[in-house]
Amino acid sequence: NPFDASIVVVLHGDEIPFFAIPNYDKYQELMVRARSLTLAGPIEFRMCQVAARGHGFEPDQIHGFVGIVPMADAEIVRLQQEGGYAYMR
């Protein structure tokens, strides 16, 4: 059933600044849409803590609807092995 599907977006690249609270004024429309996807649908955002730090952001500077994971690659592998997810790029 396609309505039972869920999507986890693992953020670990140049998109990270979009999700930073200090950049909210600049990316407000995008963040409102992204947050609404987490409330209205089966989409979840998770961000790599290592990559966030590499872009100069700490977890408390990231919007609350985004989960923080220690490492993106490990999270992607875990989702595939334990959660039955498929990797799509």
Side-chain angles (χ1 to χ4, degrees):
N1 183 348
F3 295 107
D4 289 338
S6 65
I7 298 169
V8 177
V9 179
V10 181
L11 308 164
H12 58 99
D14 291 334
E15 70 282 355
I16 286 174
F18 299 146
F19 293 83
I21 295 168
N23 295 333
Y24 182 72
D25 289 342
K26 188 174 182 180
Y27 302 113
Q28 180 178 359
E29 184 178 340
L30 178 62
M31 287 303 95
V32 168
R33 284 186 183 190
R35 183 176 179 271
S36 72
L37 291 171
T38 66
L39 298 174
I43 296 179
E44 184 179 341
F45 292 96
R46 297 181 190 172
M47 182 179 291
C48 175
Q49 185 173 10
V50 172
R53 284 189 174 145
H55 280 84
F57 299 106
E58 291 297 324
D60 64 346
Q61 294 177 295
I62 304 300
H63 290 288
F65 68 89
V66 179
I68 303 295
V69 296
M71 179 187 262
D73 292 338
E75 183 67 6
I76 291 168
V77 170
R78 188 187 71 73
L79 286 167
Q80 290 177 59
Q81 291 180 347
E82 299 173 13
Y85 285 86
Y87 177 77
M88 296 177 70
R89 185 174 176 157

